[in-house]
Amino acid sequence: MEYLEFELPIKELQEQYEKACQIGEDSDVDVTNTCKQIEKKLKETKKEIYKNLTPWQRVQLSRHPNRPYTMDYIKAICGDSFLELHGDRNFKDDKAMVGGLGKIGDQSYMFVGQQKGYNTKTRQYRNFGMANPEGYRKALRLMKSAEKFGVPVVCLIDTPGAFPGLEAEERGQGEAIARNILEMTRLKVPIIVVIIGEGASGGALGIGVGDRVLMLENTWYSVISPESCSSILWRSWEFKEVAAEALKLTATDMKKQKLIDVIVKEPLGGAHTNREDTFKTVATAIDKEYKALKDLSPKDLVEQRMDKYSEMGVFKG
């Protein structure tokens, strides 16, 4: 298990607990009471730390190297029913954007999401979860196929942003994202969006328009990352914690502003501490939201979606 800086007190207690238990196993000394005391202290420390997380600490948790990624969710939720689909039928297959058909129970869904890598090699292969225009065009192609066959769409968001390279701009990055936003507002099937990690900028919005938008507890959703915001405003990355606070990017802030619909609870310590529980919770949440949407006619679905997004950013004095 890898620990973040603010989790170091937990790491120390965990190591003490393991050492004490090991001493008990290796010798005849009774360390039961010591182990119980350390275990109690460990639980209390965990509760105290995770109860009072700052926005920046939640950003760090959303990037935790052990945190499950899009394909982890899809494989756990759909099992063998998942069929990955490739290519945008125009340029190439973008490995940073994955998608395909899969089932939750007896219901088929079209899954679309950004995929990050697990090590240096796969991170380069997946372009660190930063999709090119062909990735967004692939996503749109899959969504239009889903619409054609009446299959609901599930979008899993986890990206530090769309790829900002010269070649991406040459192939129309801005147009591809704008086209997706336009087409998603009028897609005639239910769209459920789940932010499972980082939700940064237009890269997230390119697959982020939905009838229901869900956010896991330790994720963030914002127009810019705290580091980039800090470097623009203060010409330094040193103020990223202040920027994270000011950006109001946490799930709680987003719910308060009515920009998302549901906050999905994570196990204590984050999604990576109990993956199985997280997968079950997300699958249940998707199923619940779909059941609330499935009886709506395509006309009502689109109208409600349009109204939902039209009301965002309206403040009454």
Side-chain angles (χ1 to χ4, degrees), residues 3 7-17 38 42:
Y3 292 88
E7 294 176 311
L8 291 179
I10 297 169
K11 185 187 178 186
E12 284 170 21
L13 284 166
Q14 187 68 45
E15 285 171 355
Q16 283 175 24
Y17 176 73
I38 298 171
L42 184 60

Side-chain angles (χ1 to χ4, degrees), residues 177-274:
I177 291 170
R179 170 69 55 192
N180 276 25
I181 294 170
L182 171 67
E183 295 291 348
M184 286 180 86
T185 56
R186 54 195 191 192
L187 209 70
K188 292 181 175 67
V189 289
I191 308 171
I192 297 157
V193 176
V194 189
I195 296 151
I196 57 168
E198 299 185 88
S201 194
L205 275 182
I207 58 165
V209 178
D211 301 292
R212 294 284 187 277
V213 181
L214 288 61
M215 256 180 107
L216 266 72
E217 213 176 351
N218 297 311
T219 61
W220 62 278
Y221 196 21
S222 176
V223 71
I224 194 169
S225 71
E227 295 94 328
S228 301
C229 178
S230 174
S231 63
I232 290 169
L233 293 181
W234 291 282
R235 299 282 184 269
S236 159
W237 278 29
E238 306 251 320
F239 298 91
K240 53 187 182 286
E241 292 178 42
V242 184
E245 183 73 49
L247 284 166
K248 304 290 179 199
L249 42 66
T250 66
T252 315
D253 292 320
M254 286 282 134
K255 182 88 165 64
K256 206 172 172 182
Q257 301 289 353
K258 296 183 180 170
L259 297 172
I260 64 156
D261 303 291
V262 180
I263 297 172
V264 180
K265 292 284 283 180
E266 290 185 28
L268 189 69
H272 57 282
T273 57
N274 191 335

Side-chain angles (χ1 to χ4, degrees), residues 253-309:
D253 292 320
M254 286 282 134
K255 182 88 165 64
K256 206 172 172 182
Q257 301 289 353
K258 296 183 180 170
L259 297 172
I260 64 156
D261 303 291
V262 180
I263 297 172
V264 180
K265 292 284 283 180
E266 290 185 28
L268 189 69
H272 57 282
T273 57
N274 191 335
R275 287 173 162 234
E276 297 312 310
D277 265 16
T278 307
F279 297 146
K280 278 180 196 163
T281 310
V282 170
T284 306
I286 292 169
D287 186 51
K288 183 186 171 189
E289 296 307 328
Y290 172 65
K291 280 175 180 165
L293 296 165
K294 67 176 182 177
D295 294 328
L296 290 172
S297 69
K299 187 172 179 267
D300 289 342
L301 206 58
V302 173
E303 269 182 20
Q304 283 186 23
R305 197 183 302 144
M306 291 278 197
D307 290 344
K308 175 186 170 171
Y309 282 88

Side-chain angles (χ1 to χ4, degrees), residues 82-187:
F82 181 65
L83 171 70
E84 190 173 354
L85 301 167
H86 299 272
D88 70 337
R89 299 290 185 271
N90 186 18
F91 184 68
K92 69 169 188 179
D93 184 40
D94 189 341
K95 305 299 181 192
M97 186 75 77
V98 295
L101 288 160
K103 284 187 172 185
I104 299 177
D106 294 327
Q107 177 60 48
S108 295
Y109 293 89
M110 180 66 81
F111 288 88
V112 176
Q114 291 103 350
Q115 173 67 20
K116 292 176 175 176
Y118 303 95
N119 52 36
T120 308
K121 195 176 177 182
T122 55
R123 279 176 194 139
Q124 286 177 321
Y125 178 71
R126 298 287 183 187
N127 200 29
F128 299 87
M130 296 188 290
N132 276 283
E134 53 272 18
Y136 291 100
R137 288 174 184 137
K138 167 165 114 176
L140 182 58
R141 179 178 79 78
L142 299 186
M143 287 186 229
K144 294 301 268 182
S145 294
E147 181 184 48
K148 186 178 176 182
F149 297 106
V151 176
V153 174
V154 173
C155 297
L156 301 171
I157 293 176
D158 186 13
T159 180
F163 184 57
L166 180 64
E167 63 273 33
E169 296 300 331
E170 285 172 345
R171 292 198 297 277
Q173 185 72 287
E175 187 277 335
I177 291 170
R179 170 69 55 192
N180 276 25
I181 294 170
L182 171 67
E183 295 291 348
M184 286 180 86
T185 56
R186 54 195 191 192
L187 209 70

